[in-house]
């Protein structure tokens, strides 16, 4: 008997890949599975047609048969194969912690990440909730041991330079699309597919210690980017899980710099979801753990995230100190020292965040000065960031009792963000309309609020 999955007619690509690697024929696999099932106390009569259904229709036989299939493949491949690797662990099992684990063993971490990437889109529990407590164990374990020892792996295929370059290209393309079009852009789903369809076979392939470290590094950054895009699109539950997996893979890569960057991203997510105290702790931890190891840009970014969280928490002095240190570090950056994946982080980007820091501190004059320093950031490439900054600038003009400028800049923000699929970015405009609400008797304010709602509704 076979039971149906949520993805009834979706082929099981994981099983198909392992069948090719093992050179197991459908009939031979069915016979071996029947033998192993009988040893487990279950009489089965599977045939080559059964195997075809498992592969092409995604059908999953009842237990203990999936374990028998994994065992049979493991015999052929000469290594352990688990049920998750053959694509037969089911979301109906109720494992709501999938993606939230931070295993101590690197091999378990890889298996857990692969299982999560495969199932994330079809699990019913993923929603818009954000639980900052889910970060506690991952952050604690990373701060305790930020780097694993290097290790190679023997699998179905050898991982080469071209494979790694392809993944790095996917990272750069995902970052560009996210910046221009927001986390809800259509390409985000294809980036997630890259983890499932391209990165997964590589992680299960053959690679040396050195290649393995870069493979873990690039998959960590890819998972981080997908997590940030999901967060930007309001999919906070999925985002947390992608970020946790990214942090664990950074540790598997033995790369403290990447780990600090991922932890800083987790800090930003926590801050934006209303947990500034916890966010400040994460950013400070990222900075302190990576100090003396990471380049100036990564350290600067951590201090900037700390400054944002401290400002939101109302700690003006500490926020300004962290911001000043962030600027000092950024000024020390050298193109040949900092990673290419931090190339987007510039003086204009720092000024963009500093605008929000001073807005949060109730210092509109300083906020406007910082916003002017960010004016050279190109809106054609960083559409979302520029749109958000303009919304914050409009709010700062309002704090400064300049309604005319607030509305003028607000219109510019709406014009940019109407092109962006980003729940996070649109929330900045909603906050502006809420701040303007007490002045709704002014026809200009009414017109702006109505315009913003119309323009952003279809882009959400």
């Amino acid at each position: 008997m076979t039971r149906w999955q949520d993805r009834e007619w979706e082929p099981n690509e994981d099983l198909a890949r392992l069948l090719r690697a093992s050179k197991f024929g459908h009939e031979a696999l069915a016979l071996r599975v029947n033998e192993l099932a009988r040893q487990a106390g279950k009489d089965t009569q599977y045939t080559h047609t059964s195997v075809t259904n498992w592969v092409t229709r995604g059908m999953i036989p009842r237990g203990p048969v999936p374990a028998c299939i994994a065992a049979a493949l493991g015999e052929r491949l000469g290594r352990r194969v688990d049920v998750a690797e053959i694509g037969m662990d089911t979301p109906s099992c109720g494992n709501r912690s999938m993606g939230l684990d931070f295993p101590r063993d690197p091999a378990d971490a890889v298996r857990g990440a692969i299982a999560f990437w495969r199932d994330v889109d079809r699990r019913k529990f993923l929603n818009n909730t954000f639980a900052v407590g889910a970060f506690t164990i991952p952050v604690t374990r990373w701060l305790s041991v930020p780097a694993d020892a290097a290790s190679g792996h023997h699998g179905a295929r050898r991982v080469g330079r071209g494979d790694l370059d392809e993944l790095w290209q996917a990272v750069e393309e995902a970052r560009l699309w996210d910046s221009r079009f927001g986390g809800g852009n259509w390409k985000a789903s294809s980036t997630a597919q890259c983890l499932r369809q391209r990165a997964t076979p590589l992680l299960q392939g053959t690679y040396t210690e050195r290649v393995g470290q870069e493979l873990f590094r690039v998959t960590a950054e890819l998972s981080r980017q997908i997590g940030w895009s999901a967060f930007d699109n309001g999919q906070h539950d999925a985002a947390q899980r992608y970020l946790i997996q990214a942090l664990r893979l950074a540790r598997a890569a033995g790369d403290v710099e990447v780990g600090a960057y991922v932890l800083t991203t987790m800090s930003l997510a926590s801050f934006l979801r209303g947990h500034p105290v916890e966010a400040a702790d994460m950013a400070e931890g990222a900075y302190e753990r990576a100090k003396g190891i990471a380049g100036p840009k990564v350290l600067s970014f951590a201090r900037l995230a700390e400054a944002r969280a401290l400002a939101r928490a109302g700690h003006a002095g500490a926020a300004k100190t962290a911001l000043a240190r962030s600027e000092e570090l950024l000024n020390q950056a050298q193109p040949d020292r900092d990673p290419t994946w931090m190339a987007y982080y510039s003086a204009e980007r720092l000024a963009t965040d500093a605008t929000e820091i001073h807005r949060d501190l109730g210092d509109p004059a300083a906020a406007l000065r910082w916003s002017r320093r960010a004016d050279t950031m190109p809106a054609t490439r960083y559409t979302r960031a520029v749109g958000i900054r303009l919304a914050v600038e409009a709010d700062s003009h309002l704090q400064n009792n300049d309604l005319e400028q607030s509305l003028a800049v607000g219109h510019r923000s709406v014009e940019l963000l109407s092109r962006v699929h980003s729940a996070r970015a649109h929330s900045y405009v909603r906050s502006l309309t809420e701040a303007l609400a007490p002045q709704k008797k002014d026809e200009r304010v009414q017109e702006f609020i109505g315009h913003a709602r119309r323009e952003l509704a279809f882009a959400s």
Side-chain angles (χ1 to χ4, degrees), residues 415-448:
E415 194 276 327
L416 283 176
L417 294 182
S418 65
R419 314 171 197 169
V420 173
H421 298 264
S422 167
R424 177 172 66 95
H426 293 176
S427 72
Y428 279 83
V429 177
R430 281 196 295 274
S431 295
L432 176 60
T433 61
E434 290 168 4
L436 286 163
Q439 303 186 54
K440 284 178 66 174
K441 290 183 179 180
D442 189 309
E443 291 184 2
R444 296 171 300 171
V445 173
Q446 290 183 28
E447 189 278 330
F448 172 77

Side-chain angles (χ1 to χ4, degrees), residues 373-394:
R373 290 175 59 175
D375 272 341
T376 54
M377 178 181 282
T380 53
R381 183 178 178 89
Y382 303 106
T383 312
R384 181 183 57 207
V386 175
I388 288 175
R389 176 181 60 81
L390 290 174
V392 174
E393 180 184 329

Side-chain angles (χ1 to χ4, degrees), residues 61-237:
R62 297 184 183 277
V65 177
C68 296
I69 298 171
L73 288 165
E75 290 173 351
R76 279 292 183 100
L77 293 168
R79 64 177 178 83
R80 180 177 179 269
V81 174
D82 58 25
V83 173
E85 191 175 347
I86 65 172
M88 288 191 178
D89 60 330
T90 61
S92 58
C93 294
N95 182 11
R96 295 175 62 86
S97 67
M98 176 167 283
L100 299 175
D101 295 330
F102 197 91
R104 288 186 169 86
D105 182 79
D108 289 340
V110 171
R111 283 191 290 269
I114 289 171
F116 168 67
W117 296 336
R118 183 177 57 249
D119 285 347
V120 60
D121 288 338
R122 58 193 172 97
R123 283 183 172 264
K124 303 301 184 184
F125 61 77
L126 299 182
N127 50 51
N128 293 338
T129 62
F130 184 94
V132 71
F135 285 157
T136 302
I137 291 177
V139 171
T140 301
R141 289 186 179 174
W142 184 84
L143 290 173
S144 299
V145 183
D148 289 329
S151 61
H153 187 264
H154 180 73
R157 56 160 293 186
R158 181 165 294 279
V159 180
R161 181 72 256 168
D163 298 312
L164 300 173
D165 289 343
E166 181 184 4
L167 294 181
W168 281 119
Q169 181 64 31
V171 169
E172 185 55 33
E173 289 179 0
R175 184 180 296 113
L176 177 60
W177 277 76
D178 180 73
S179 295
R180 292 183 63 188
F181 305 112
N185 74 80
W186 66 268
K187 199 174 181 67
S189 60
S190 65
T191 307
Q193 287 178 0
C194 181
L195 275 179
R196 293 192 295 271
Q197 298 176 7
R198 297 294 299 134
T200 291
L202 298 178
L203 288 167
Q204 295 169 333
T206 296
Y207 44 83
T208 63
E209 291 182 357
R210 185 173 180 179
V211 170
Q213 285 183 314
E214 185 170 355
L215 178 59
F216 294 141
R217 184 181 302 120
V218 66
T219 51
E221 176 52 19
L222 196 55
S223 188
R224 188 209 67 84
Q225 181 59 57
I226 294 169
W228 183 245
S229 293
F231 182 86
D232 187 66
N233 197 38
Q235 299 168 311
H236 304 133
D237 192 349

Side-chain angles (χ1 to χ4, degrees), residues 30-69:
L31 290 173
R32 183 55 181 154
V33 167
N34 288 334
E35 292 172 358
L36 293 172
R38 280 193 291 274
Q39 293 174 19
K42 186 178 180 66
D43 186 26
T44 61
Q45 301 294 326
Y46 291 114
T47 67
H48 70 281
T49 302
S50 307
V51 179
T52 299
N53 285 334
W54 300 339
V55 173
T56 63
R57 302 174 71 185
M59 297 174 70
I60 299 180
R62 297 184 183 277
V65 177
C68 296
I69 298 171

Side-chain angles (χ1 to χ4, degrees), residues 264-278:
T264 300
T265 305
M266 294 164 71
S267 166
L268 289 172
S270 301
F271 147 72
L272 289 165
R273 291 306 297 166
H275 304 281
V277 175
E278 293 88 344

